[in-house]
Amino acid sequence: MTPRRHCVWDWNGTILDDNQARLLAVNESLAGLQIAPIDIQQYRDTYCVPVPDFYARLLGRPLTRDEWLTADDTYQASYRRHLPHTSHLMGGARAALLSWIARGGTQSLLSLHTHEHLLAELSHHGVGTLFRLAEGRRGPTGGTKAAAMRRHVQNLGLPPQQIVAIGDSADDALAAEQAGIAVVLYAGGSHCEAALTATGAPVVHTLADAIDLALRKPSPTRPMARVGAAA
């Protein structure tokens, strides 16, 4: 088996525990749509990408364009307001990042978080220098990571067989599949474990276990099970 030498990490919900900020922001945006607030378990059971589909699940109907724009504006402003006071690195995240380097690997970061805010958060938490490359979202909100992952893998200039992704969502699994790289999913972030397991990708409960499995997981040989729009 080709040795795994590079890891592409997800940020939100994987390295950064921002679940509380996400929940507060979602509930503020739902209030504007006259929808009752949800709890963290409802969030993790329902969340999916593209994000407008997540709101559609909660409303029981698709959002209009104006509703989506208003909800997203409210969410983004609320998230930025709450994030500094409610977020922190996931338990074991710093140790996992250092462990990968100690085992001779390189690592990068690919996030759907706004690029400039991502770089600021990496600096704030003191982990920015641990990544060979860090890329956030530069386009519209609400989409999937698949196209960005394909570009990211190409920019790394490494054989896909040497790369593994670690993330917390079904969208991370789909993006890795489309980029032709292996993936390990962490069950402590935005998605419930059932949604992660439904992708067919391996699921772990600690980032230390994610590292151990990433080092030995075979490269993908067949498409994963599809789970609709869930991500």
Side-chain angles (χ1 to χ4, degrees):
M1 184 180 71
T2 303
R4 202 78 63 207
R5 297 179 179 175
H6 187 89
C7 181
V8 181
W9 290 90
D10 173 59
W11 178 243
N12 305 90
T14 304
I15 297 176
L16 183 71
D17 184 350
D18 64 342
N19 282 341
Q20 187 63 24
R22 291 198 218 189
L23 181 63
L24 290 168
V26 163
N27 279 332
E28 287 192 27
S29 63
L30 290 178
L33 296 169
Q34 298 183 329
I35 299 296
I38 60 175
D39 61 26
I40 190 62
Q41 192 58 53
Q42 288 174 290
Y43 177 88
R44 298 182 79 242
D45 287 346
T46 311
Y47 182 72
C48 66
V49 174
V51 179
D53 291 347
F54 166 56
Y55 281 90
R57 291 179 176 186
L58 296 173
L59 269 69
R61 61 169 177 80
L63 278 73
T64 67
R65 182 177 181 276
D66 287 344
E67 285 175 331
W68 161 243
L69 292 175
T70 299
D72 186 52
D73 285 347
T74 301
Y75 176 91
Q76 297 298 335
S78 177
Y79 178 84
R80 289 193 295 270
R81 187 172 67 254
H82 291 298
L83 187 67
H85 313 293
T86 61
S87 67
H88 49 82
L89 294 182
M90 282 286 183
R94 190 183 302 273
L97 295 172
L98 293 172
S99 174
W100 185 267
I101 295 172
R103 298 186 194 193
T106 57
Q107 52 199 354
S108 58
L109 191 69
L110 180 63
S111 173
L112 292 177
H113 196 40
T114 307
H115 184 69
E116 57 269 25
H117 291 135
L118 173 66
L119 297 184
E121 288 173 25
L122 289 174
S123 176
H124 172 73
H125 291 284
V127 294
T129 59
L130 302 180
F131 299 101
R132 168 180 165 182
L133 175 66
E135 295 185 306
R137 176 181 53 78
R138 292 182 170 89
T141 61
T144 75
K145 190 184 278 186
M149 180 67 85
R150 291 194 297 270
R151 291 192 299 269
H152 189 86
V153 168
Q154 290 173 354
N155 290 338
L156 291 173
L158 297 170
Q161 296 81 4
Q162 295 183 4
I163 305 172
V164 62
I166 297 178
D168 72 313
S169 74
D171 188 55
D172 288 310
L174 178 61
E177 177 197 337
Q178 294 196 7
I181 65 175
V183 65
V184 176
L185 298 178
Y186 168 61
S190 62
H191 272 38
C192 65
E193 187 170 353
L196 300 181
T197 302
T199 69
V203 179
V204 297
H205 295 92
T206 72
L207 294 178
D209 287 343
I211 289 289
D212 290 340
L213 185 56
L215 287 169
R216 66 178 188 268
K217 185 186 183 308
S219 298
T221 57
R222 60 179 176 81
M224 298 182 308
R226 298 293 184 177
V227 288

